[in-house]
Amino acid sequence: MRIPLMVLSTFALLVLTVAASTPAGPKGEEIKLQLRTQIQPFHGTGPWVEAHFEAAIVPSKTAIVITDMWDKHWCKGATHRVGLIAQRMEPLLAVARGAGILIIHAPSETMDFYQDAPGRLLAENAPRTVPPAELTLADAPLPIDDSDEGCDTPGDKPHKAWSRETEALTIAPGDVISDQGEEIYNVLRQRHIDTVLFMGVHANMCILNRSFGVRQLSKWGLRCVLVRDLTDAMYNPASRPFVSHAAGTELVIEYIEKYWAPTITSDALIAGLKNLGENGR
């Protein structure tokens, strides 16, 4: 599809803004990633248009936050999809660690399980930092109705089914464990991290709304990116807008791209990180 000149002009401004705000790291450490976003050329009216742009990250100034990849969910459909995501997430995490990206495991409501773990102590002992005044950012209602808790397997009822992160994911030496926004912010500031890649579940709930989620970290001025093929939504196709579960998840991803953060695929991220290694860093 050919993008109109007005869209290209808006998009060019977006790219220049991103480039100007990208921190430059030591020689050899910066990598370029292709991100996807949504823009509305005529603000407040007319269609949204998918757009792609290039942004640079410095691995040593980047973290991955793994959100609520629990061992079990009360919704069987959600548990099944977490298992599938974990299989593809694990090799990416190994590449990211090798490139110098910090891995933060954030399985909410399971910190008792990790109370003596080295990664938990890294979070608890990070120097305390007062978060900055929150930015005022635009928002909009979700494009799906998740008021029924979004489970697509009939008969499943909400309860706390989880006790830890799924064992399909490795918690390696140097990884951090926390489910508290201010703790995670302390760690990010301690390590001079300005870019956070989100993966895990669920995009319309936990990834957006946890105290360490996209909304809060964006309001604190962090650059947030969603790895869009390593996430899922809590959405029941029996609810508005009455589309498939996969289509509902894509609608949530597009919503995040419109209002909160650009996205990337895991393949593109891995390719960028491997290219960094091949260039000798």
Side-chain angles (χ1 to χ4, degrees):
M1 172 179 137
R2 178 173 295 176
I3 300 179
L5 180 60
M6 178 64 184
V7 176
L8 290 174
S9 299
T10 304
F11 178 50
L13 179 60
L14 171 65
V15 173
L16 289 172
T17 301
V18 171
S21 63
T22 296
K27 185 176 180 181
E29 284 195 3
E30 186 180 272
I31 62 173
K32 302 265 177 69
L33 299 176
Q34 292 295 321
L35 305 183
R36 191 180 83 180
T37 190
Q38 306 283 330
I39 63 174
Q40 192 176 33
F42 299 99
H43 297 291
T45 186
W48 289 83
V49 179
E50 180 181 304
H52 298 259
F53 66 97
E54 187 177 80
I57 69 166
V58 177
S60 62
K61 295 182 178 181
T62 302
I64 288 174
V65 172
I66 304 168
T67 304
D68 291 353
M69 288 287 287
W70 290 310
D71 54 341
K72 185 178 181 181
H73 197 280
W74 60 266
C75 176
K76 296 184 187 68
T79 299
H80 173 69
R81 287 185 291 274
V82 163
L84 297 177
I85 292 170
Q87 292 175 20
R88 293 183 289 114
M89 188 183 293
E90 176 70 359
L92 182 152
L93 297 177
V95 173
R97 285 190 194 93
I101 290 177
L102 176 67
I103 310 300
I104 301 176
H105 301 262
S108 300
E109 303 172 359
T110 68
M111 291 303 101
D112 287 348
F113 181 87
Y114 296 104
Q115 61 181 347
D116 298 319
R120 184 76 195 102
L121 298 178
L122 287 174
E124 292 179 327
N125 294 332
R128 299 296 185 265
T129 303
V130 178
E134 293 185 1
L135 301 174
T136 301
L137 302 174
D139 201 357
L142 284 169
I144 61 170
D145 180 1
D146 58 8
S147 60
D148 64 351
E149 300 296 335
C151 186
D152 59 334
T153 44
D156 291 351
K157 303 297 182 184
H159 63 280
K160 185 183 176 183
W162 43 86
S163 60
R164 55 166 297 168
E165 188 173 80
T166 174
E167 294 183 74
L169 299 178
T170 299
I171 300 179
D175 289 2
V176 171
I177 305 170
S178 178
D179 67 349
Q180 298 298 314
E182 291 199 7
E183 277 189 356
I184 289 175
Y185 185 79
N186 292 337
V187 170
L188 299 179
R189 289 282 73 95
Q190 178 189 35
R191 316 257 181 138
H192 306 289
I193 287 170
D194 57 22
T195 302
V196 183
L197 307 173
F198 281 85
M199 56 187 71
V201 297
H202 287 97
N204 54 315
M205 295 182 178
C206 303
I207 283 182
L208 273 175
N209 298 324
R210 290 291 188 192
S211 63
F212 53 82
V214 168
R215 278 192 170 104
Q216 186 58 69
L217 293 194
S218 294
K219 289 178 180 179
W220 282 339
L222 279 299
R223 303 194 312 164
C224 297
V225 178
L226 174 67
V227 183
R228 64 178 179 268
D229 61 321
L230 295 182
T231 192
D232 187 32
M234 283 298 288
Y235 169 66
N236 179 3
S239 298
R240 182 186 59 79
F242 310 106
V243 296
S244 69
H245 179 87
T249 298
E250 186 58 36
L251 287 172
V252 174
I253 291 170
E254 290 174 0
Y255 166 86
I256 291 173
E257 291 172 343
K258 290 174 182 176
Y259 299 104
W260 289 102
T263 70
I264 191 171
T265 64
S266 57
D267 287 347
L269 179 56
I270 289 174
L273 295 173
K274 286 185 174 179
N275 184 59
L276 173 71
E278 290 169 0
N279 289 336
R281 299 189 64 186

